[in-house]
Amino acid sequence: MKPIIVSIVDSHAGARQKIAGQLKADEGFQCVSQFDRAEDALEMLPLDRPDVVLMEIQLDGMDGIECVRCLKTRMPEVQVIMLTTHTDAESIFAAFRAGANGYLLKPQPPRKLMEAI
C-alpha cells in the first residue's frame, strides 16, 4: 500500500522534527518536506505534491491561515490539517473558511495524529 505523503509547515523546528519522527516510525506515512515559513511552503509544496499538509497558524511572515487560502488555489486537492495551539473560535472558523480540512490542537499523541491524517 502506498504511504500517505505529508509535509509540515511550522515555525518551531522542534515541533517539526518531532512530528516528522512520528511519521517516519509508521510505514503508512512519508514526510517529504518541512518548512518554517509559509512563503517557502507555497513555493515548494506544488513540487513536493503531498497528500496532506500539517499547518501551524502562527508563522513568521504570512500566517498559516493565509497560507492555506493560497495553497488551496494552487493545489485544491491537497488536504490541510491545522495543527496548532490556537483554541479561539475565530481562528478555527477562519482556518476552515480558508480551506482547512481539519483542526487539531498541539500536542497530540502520535496515534491520534496518525488517525487524523
Side-chain angles (χ1 to χ4, degrees):
M1 180 157 94
K2 179 182 174 256
I4 297 171
I5 307 301
V6 181
S7 291
I8 304 165
V9 184
D10 193 315
S11 59
H12 301 294
R16 287 193 316 271
Q17 292 168 356
K18 181 177 179 182
I19 294 165
Q22 292 169 351
L23 293 168
K24 186 177 180 180
D26 190 316
E27 65 185 30
F29 302 93
Q30 181 182 358
C31 182
V32 293
S33 55
Q34 302 176 42
F35 305 96
D36 63 348
R37 294 175 6 102
E39 293 85 354
D40 297 334
L42 288 172
E43 182 180 332
M44 298 304 297
L45 285 172
L47 302 174
D48 295 337
R49 304 189 50 78
D51 300 311
V52 177
V53 175
L54 301 176
M55 179 78 65
E56 170 61 84
I57 289 176
Q58 187 74 35
L59 299 170
D60 295 330
M62 178 188 297
D63 70 28
I65 293 172
E66 185 60 28
C67 185
V68 171
R69 187 174 290 110
C70 294
L71 184 60
K72 284 295 206 166
T73 63
R74 297 175 189 181
M75 300 176 68
E77 72 286 353
V78 73
Q79 302 292 300
V80 180
I81 299 173
M82 306 307 288
L83 186 59
T84 184
T85 58
H86 291 265
T87 60
D88 61 288
E90 184 178 318
S91 293
I92 295 169
F93 188 61
F96 282 114
R97 276 197 327 254
N101 302 94
Y103 199 99
L104 292 172
L105 295 178
K106 288 196 256 181
Q108 281 292 321
R111 184 55 26 213
K112 284 211 178 253
L113 179 59
M114 303 310 166
E115 288 171 4
I117 296 171

